[in-house]
Structures are given as C-alpha cells and as structure tokens.
Amino acid sequence: MAPMTRYRNIVILTGAGVSAESGIDTFRSAGGLWEQHRVEDVATPEGFARDPDLVLRFYDMRRVAIQTKVPNAAHEALARLDREWAGRSGGGEVLIVTQNVDDLHERAGALNVLHMHGEHLTVWCTACDARHRWTGPLIERPPCPACAAPSLRPDVVWFGEVPYRMDEITEALARADLFVSIGTSGAVYPAAGFVRLARELGADTLELNLERSQGSAWFDETRLGAASVLVPQWVGEVLGD
Ligand code: APR
C-alpha cells in the first residue's frame, strides 16, 4: 500500500488510555486514580495549600511507579511514525500532544512530544521558577538546585491551572490535515475541544479508543479497541506497510 501521503502534518493527542497497557492507571475507569483519591485533594492548588504532604506523597508514589513501567506497542508505533513520517511524506510533521505525565512516549523513542499537563519527572521551584528533571521524592522538601529554597512542587498542571504551550498546540492544529485522538475520555478541556478546532481548521479526524468517548460524535471515524492493537495497525496504514 502507498503511504497515506494525502496527509502532511499530523497532530496526535494521547491520554491515559495509551499508557493503560503499560500498567499505569487511567483516571476515570473503575478503580482508576480518581476513584482512589479526591481530585480536589491531590490535583488542585487549593489541595496543595491545604495539605502539601498529602499531595507530595501522592506524586512521589506516582513518580516512582512510572519509572517501573515500560512503553507498550502503542508508544512504540507512535515513535516509529514520528521517526519515519518526514521521509515518507516529503517533509510532513508529526506532533504528539500528550495529556499524560509519564515519559513512555520518549522512552519509546518519540522526539516530538509536548506535555500539555506537565511531567512527573520534572519539578518546579515556586521560589525561582526554575524547572529540574527529578526522579526522587519531594516529601523531605529538598533544596532547589538553582536557588536552594525548599520550594519544589510537582511540575504537573492541576485543575484550575493553565495547560502548557497552548499557543504551539493551536498553531500545530492550524497546520494539521489529520488529527488523531488516542486513549482519552474527552472529559477535560482544553484537550477535549481540540477535535472541534481541528475540524473547523480543515483536518480529518480519527479517534482510537477502548470505548466511545464524550467527543466521539465530532470525529470523522472512531475505531474501538485496545491502543496496543489499534495504534500499530493505524501507523502501518499511514506509513503504507
Ligand atoms: N486502549 C485504548 N484506550 C483505553 C485503554 C486501552 N488499553 N484503556 C482505557 N482506555 C480509554 C478509556 O476508555 C478512556 O476513554 O482511555 C480513556 C482514559 O480516560 P481518562 O481516564 O479520563 O484519562 P484522560 O482522558 O487522559 O484524562 C484527561 O484528566 O484527570 C485529568 O489531567 C488528567 O490528563 C488527565 C485528563
């Protein structure tokens, strides 16, 4: 099959479902993270102000947990697309916009990854605004490597905070002629609104998800199934395997 070169620029949005088969809990499935913890307690600035130890322990646990996980076939396929697309499409772009705060896209070899909700393996100093790669705990209030203040917090975007690099995302959607959403429930904005923006800007839209999401009606096509099956299959179609 010839590569789908009617497309040049592809924007891919991923959510927790792309990491589920790597053993990282999603948020809204039965037994998921938000069933074990109240969002307002562990994922809001107010919760952090109210009980910083609770929040730091929650993220210390998740920072350790993700380092024991490995990418699955979906991450590997997206990394392959990222590597091969420019050559197959005559210079087209791929951008993976992820809501996930794990580093499995990068560990699979993807290079064009944008973490709109931040990352577990980065910390942010609220005293000097520096960001640092961090793999250990924060509960002991370690000093900021830049200013020595005991003011490091998880560099994760909490509810009520502004997602990162929205201008870059909007510009990429304006250039995209294909938008693919993988493993997200379409429950949280602004990510849940990307499909409508992509459509308005002329892109084709495809959803790959275990079940219909809140945004399924906005997609030209929805394929239901596990990411580890659907994503390699779709990448093979796009690259013309
Ligand atoms: N393959 C494909 N999709 C899957 C799989 C799988 N193996 N397992 C679960 N899913 C789907 C679920 O059907 C669901 O639609 O992934 C989606 C996960 O939805 P959520 O748990 O809501 O996660 P997500 O959409 O990433 O949440 C968005 O909300 O809580 C905030 O900041 C947090 O980034 C997160 C945002």
Side-chain angles (χ1 to χ4, degrees):
M1 241 165 67
M4 285 193 182
T5 47
R6 70 176 179 276
Y7 297 128
R8 260 184 80 73
N9 299 329
I10 305 174
V11 172
I12 298 162
L13 171 69
T14 64
V18 84
S19 296
E21 291 164 271
S22 295
I24 297 180
D25 281 345
T26 61
F27 292 94
R28 292 169 185 83
S29 52
L33 272 170
W34 294 151
E35 291 212 336
Q36 302 162 45
H37 303 274
R38 283 168 17 106
V39 169
E40 45 275 22
D41 291 339
V42 294
T44 61
E46 296 76 16
F48 185 54
R50 193 166 50 244
D51 188 347
D53 279 12
L54 172 72
V55 174
L56 293 178
R57 288 192 204 288
F58 174 73
Y59 283 95
D60 284 356
M61 174 270 292
R62 295 195 66 206
R63 191 175 307 109
V64 166
I66 65 157
Q67 296 176 67
T68 67
K69 310 299 183 189
V70 296
N72 64 57
H75 298 106
E76 304 288 354
L78 292 176
R80 177 189 169 213
L81 179 66
D82 191 7
R83 281 194 305 274
E84 298 183 15
W85 182 243
R88 296 291 187 89
S89 64
E93 299 168 8
V94 165
L95 176 65
I96 300 169
V97 177
T98 187
Q99 300 173 89
N100 299 340
V101 287
D102 62 57
D103 63 338
L104 296 184
H105 283 305
E106 291 89 342
R107 281 172 44 210
L111 298 174
N112 297 298
V113 182
L114 191 161
H115 285 270
M116 64 180 288
H117 289 167
E119 298 179 69
H120 273 321
L121 298 180
T122 307
V123 293
W124 172 26
C125 177
T126 54
C128 72
D129 205 31
R131 281 174 167 78
H132 309 285
R133 182 162 171 79
W134 200 268
T135 55
L138 290 179
I139 192 64
E140 305 297 334
R141 304 309 193 279
C144 165
C147 75
S151 308
L152 297 174
R153 62 160 268 189
D155 186 24
V156 171
V157 177
W158 288 329
F159 286 92
E161 296 184 327
V162 180
Y164 292 157
R165 302 168 64 183
M166 284 302 296
D167 292 347
E168 284 174 67
I169 295 170
T170 305
E171 283 161 21
L173 288 171
R175 290 197 305 275
D177 34 39
L178 177 61
F179 173 74
V180 186
S181 177
I182 304 172
T184 180
S185 61
V188 174
Y189 285 81
F194 291 169
V195 59
R196 267 171 272 178
L197 184 56
R199 286 179 72 91
E200 281 162 21
L201 296 169
D204 289 349
T205 55
L206 169 67
E207 180 181 44
L208 308 178
N209 207 53
L210 194 62
E211 60 199 351
R212 286 183 66 77
S213 72
Q214 295 184 32
S216 288
W218 293 95
F219 287 89
D220 298 317
E221 182 188 359
T222 290
R223 297 182 190 177
L224 298 181
S228 64
V229 172
L230 294 184
V231 178
Q233 189 177 56
W234 169 70
V235 168
E237 286 170 21
V238 171
L239 291 177
D241 285 359

